[in-house]
Amino acid sequence: MDIKPKTIRKDEKPLSDYHLQFISSFIYQRSGIVLGETKRYLIESRLKTVARIAGLSGIEEVCNSLANNTSQLETLVLDALTTNETSWFRDAKPWNALSNDVLPKIKKNKNAQILQIWSAACSTGQEPYSIAIKILESGLFNDWTIRIVATDISTQVLEQAREGIYSQLEVSRGMPIRSLMKYFTQVGDVWKIKSEIRDRVTFKEHLLQKDPRYLGTFDLVFCRNVLIYFDVETKRKILNHIHSALTNDGLLALGGSETTYNISDDFETVPTTGTVFYAKKKLQHFWKKE
Ligand SMILES: C[S@@+](CC[C@H](N)C(=O)[O-])C[C@H]1O[C@@H](n2cnc3c(N)ncnc32)[C@H](O)[C@@H]1O
């Protein structure tokens, strides 16, 4: 029998140590995300996909083109290597605390009838739209001005977030059926969020390492499930920026495995039912009052 050697497609060449280092340092410079040996297989498979989409021969050519500053390719690589995992009302506890403790207390204590919220690292929009739904359903702010700003580094996720269109699988991840029927319209096999929710959120491209004050100041900042991807120095920088964008009575929500502890001394915890939020330290904010 004539045994032929297995043909390896050009783009199936494995990721070399040199290119792993090149890509890791490119991603770190652009986003602060720390990749490395432990993510080798993820990087390799996603770069192969990028090569196919961009019509390049493989990882090597992707890296060579990146070195020559092709901005379209840069966006493609950055989008491919950021983790956009998200869901509706992700982790029940902060959402229950928002409804039961945080929103009623803001309503009771804030004089100016304007509620400003920033969903930093919003991915495909599930987080800011979940916030919009919670506010609407609280029934507390009908005569208030509501401003929800949602930002991300990835243009690709922001595009989907702005459109507000989700697959059956995406809506099945955390959206209660009652809310799905109420706030979405089914179009073929996808679900489109209704304008009464969509129009409450403004999406912008923003890098968390940049000074955010041009976005405004905020009563609530959700920066969830993204700090985990950064080193301590980058986390500290981002927490400093968030501190500067919070009002004196403002609160920060982090992901379940994230904390300001040992990173920034500028925050103190505000216990709520089942979870903690973070407030600016040493200020006489209204979270200290009963
Ligand atoms: C895992 S998702 C979290 C989404 C949402 N906050 C949640 O908890 O479900 C992380 C998001 O952070 C974004 N991201 C990563 N690095 C970023 C950076 N340096 N600046 C802004 N956004 C970033 C990614 O594009 C991604 O959409």
Side-chain angles (χ1 to χ4, degrees), residues 31 83-86 90 121 127 152 208-209 224-226:
S31 69
T83 302
N84 308 120
E85 165 72 17
T86 190
R90 185 174 183 178
E127 182 176 275
D152 202 282
L208 288 169
Q209 288 89 325
R224 307 193 63 235
N225 305 301
V226 65

Side-chain angles (χ1 to χ4, degrees), residues 7-16 19 40 43-45 47-48 51-52 57-61 64:
T7 45
I8 297 180
R9 286 223 327 255
K10 248 186 165 182
D11 67 353
E12 282 174 358
K13 240 166 110 182
L15 178 66
S16 69
H19 290 118
R40 178 181 277 272
I43 298 172
E44 188 175 312
S45 82
L47 284 184
K48 282 177 179 172
R52 251 167 253 141
S57 61
I59 293 172
E60 211 173 303
E61 200 177 347
N64 292 341

Side-chain angles (χ1 to χ4, degrees), residues 30-33 82-87 90 119-124 127 151-154 157 206-209 223-226 229-230 238:
R30 297 303 148 104
S31 69
I33 295 170
T82 43
T83 302
N84 308 120
E85 165 72 17
T86 190
S87 55
R90 185 174 183 178
S119 166
C122 65
S123 189
T124 37
E127 182 176 275
T151 63
D152 202 282
I153 191 183
S154 161
V157 294
H206 173 76
L207 182 72
L208 288 169
Q209 288 89 325
C223 184
R224 307 193 63 235
N225 305 301
V226 65
Y229 299 109
F230 305 129
I238 292 171

